[in-house]
Amino acid sequence: MAASATRLRRLASAAVAVTACGGAVLLTPSVSSNDRASGHPTVESLRQIINDPSAVVPSRTLQESALISSKSGPLDILVVGGGATGCGVALDAATRGLRVGLVEREDFSCGTSSRSTKLIHGGVRYLEKAVFGLDYGQLKLVFHALEERKQVIENAPHLCHALPCMTPCFDWFEVVYYWMGLKMYDLVAGRRLLHFSRYYSAQESVELFPTLARKGKGRSLRGTVVYYDGQMNDSRLNVGLACTAALAGAAVLNHAEVVSFLKDEGTQRIVGARIRDNLSGQEFDAYAKVVVNAAGPFCDSVRKMANKDALPMICPSSGVHIVLPDYYSPDGMGLIVPKTKDGRVVFMLPWLGRTIAGTTDSSTSITPLPEPNENEIQFILDAICDYLNIKVRRTDVLSAWSGIRPLAVDPNAKNTESISRDHVVSEEYPGLVTITGGKWTTYRSMAEDAVNAAIKSGKLSPSNECITSNLRLIGGDGWEPSLFTVLAQQYVRMKKSDGGKVVPGVMDTAAAKHLSRAYGTLAERVATIAQNENLGKRLAHGYPYLEAEVAYCARNEYCESAVDFIARRSRLAFLDTDAASHALPRIIEILATEHNWDKSRQKEEIQKAKEFLETFKSSKNAHFHDGKHQ
């Protein structure tokens, strides 16, 4: 508590300055004279910069200027793609002392990285395949993922946590089988173990998970085996990576698209890219010694810009998830259905006050806005139905979405008999390094491999080795689970009533916990805006999101559109499509103030947001009432 109070005092003067100037002040953390002389900060100075509570990321305008100025001196690395891997590459390279730029066609985490199962896991399924298929490759994948799992949680403790998952067993053979398998999972994790797995009797299981069925398919529940994996807020973790990279010196730019590559006329090596700013329409050239293609499912499109005859290396797979009310699962306990009727695994997990269920695994075409179809949604509902003692209804689906997994085929491999669940790094064209495949859990090590390949390709000279394995992301250093109590005690939520009168509101526990978990130690900045700028009203009934978050994200997290906010900065679109739709007018009103939008732009924003929400196949939520916002 003392540490939290100290942070509060340190933040106070900076917060007042930032809010007084509409967030336009750039507070640059101090760097020693030795760092300036060498041209890059030391590792310790970088940590101080990232963890400085008064630090503000450079504005989008400054970031674009940094990319444009690369004509006079090329960047070391230009990253294409702002998902988990791309932002991970930018952070890794910047913290090695390299000059880095990153461009993302839409928004950070706009694709696969915001549409995951929200698990940070080693892969229980892969362990089973490794043991029964005597597949060392699968076992190596599990070892690697478990090593990274603990690191991700430690580096962003406010956004990640351990989650127990319950496996129901309906005969004694299943009890023994799953108990032994999950004990092996613990053993493989070794020193990276989160918590030991254990068996619970049928009675204990029902007490822990009240909606769990005691009978299923004519069989009686014999008990459950509970094991632990990690859970995250995926898009906020991705945005945290982008902002951390920006503080470390990378020029990150969302809503900026690569339209073509620049090549050296003599060697034909790629030396940069022509980029279009999709907000202003302006085009410019950015030069770099190496380009890293981290475009996820779209990496083949980027490769074909360099070589139109490039063979595909992406085998896209569709993963559909649905969101249900919180009563489907207890807070703090997930459910895993290990074998559905067609052999797939389905999860049902508590997430941000609701229940997320999924996922499917089927072939799909690549599209910027994939949509789930009714068959996939019904498959998930049917899969969990047999394991619950309550009626599973389509009308309870608050939101449903589809993500595309970029399963990779190594273009340099002699055969393509098996599609890799691991990642692939290749340089088929001089100056273009492609990184794809893998999964969220291993984003950090994927980025490390890609930067190593880029250093080799461009003969770059980093100032130090990779340090991201022990680098806290912005908002994570010094964060404690009790931080929300400081927010609840020290702040109020000032808000305007419908008549325009300013009235105080309590910074209640739900709002305080949400701010602490979403923004970490920077939550106090958001609370300051809510208190000082009369932006303490909730955006949607039943959800803890505050108006102040819209202003904060516009100023400090490169939130450039309404969709950026409802989908990636907050998770309202993913949690409740109808609630997101009702909140849109106020969100756009605040963003218009922050970004000086005219009426035409505001109409365009609401139209784009509504089109986006139509791809989330919810049904009308009977339990949601659009009463007066709190």
Side-chain angles (χ1 to χ4, degrees), residues 536-554:
K537 200 173 184 180
R538 294 196 182 198
L539 289 167
H541 178 68
Y543 293 89
Y545 301 110
L546 305 182
E547 294 173 334
E549 295 179 64
V550 185
Y552 175 84
C553 292

Side-chain angles (χ1 to χ4, degrees), residues 293 295-307 310-316 366 428 434 436:
N293 172 14
F298 298 94
C299 82
D300 281 342
S301 301
V302 175
R303 290 169 61 241
K304 286 180 183 296
M305 285 186 195
N307 175 14
L311 296 174
M313 64 184 295
I314 291 296
C315 183
I366 296 175
E428 309 152 79
T434 295
T436 194

